[in-house]
């Protein structure tokens, strides 16, 4: 089943979130170094990923380019 990829960036908080499919109730699970998985509360499957300090991590780059379409496999 194809799902849409949603991208959210909070400039003030320097927080990037990538999320697959419909946004449902869930929680973030810290996987280290400012990166977290978003877990669906009902299915317990990974539905997204969040990165704190995204701009800081890419500070040496003039821009971040992501070729589309992009294939992302999320597993838990």
């Amino acid at each position: 089943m194809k799902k849409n990829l949603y991208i959210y960036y909070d400039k003030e908080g320097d927080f990037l979130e990538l999320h697959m499919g419909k946004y449902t109730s869930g929680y973030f699970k810290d996987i280290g170094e400012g990166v977290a998985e978003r877990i669906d509360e009902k299915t317990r499957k990974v539905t997204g990923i969040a990165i704190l300090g995204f701009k800081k991590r890419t500070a040496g780059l003039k821009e971040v380019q992501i070729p589309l379409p992009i294939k992302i496999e999320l597993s838990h």
Side-chain angles (χ1 to χ4, degrees):
M1 173 189 344
K2 290 187 178 186
K3 294 183 179 181
N4 290 328
L5 171 66
Y6 296 92
I7 301 171
Y8 170 78
Y9 180 68
D10 177 349
K11 187 175 181 178
E12 187 176 322
D14 196 15
F15 171 82
L16 175 73
E17 182 180 355
L18 304 170
H19 186 267
M20 296 295 294
K22 182 181 171 188
Y23 204 81
T24 58
S25 294
Y27 58 92
F28 287 102
K29 178 183 173 187
D30 183 20
I31 59 174
E33 299 187 28
V35 179
E37 298 173 321
R38 186 170 193 295
I39 310 293
D40 182 279
E41 200 169 78
K42 289 182 182 177
T43 66
R44 305 286 188 238
K45 291 186 178 183
V46 177
T47 58
I49 189 165
I51 304 169
L52 294 171
F54 179 74
K55 187 172 182 178
K56 186 170 77 171
R57 294 170 193 256
T58 59
L61 304 175
K62 286 187 177 181
E63 60 185 45
V64 177
Q65 294 184 11
I66 301 172
L68 297 175
I70 185 170
K71 182 179 180 181
I72 297 177
E73 292 184 30
L74 300 174
S75 61
H76 183 263

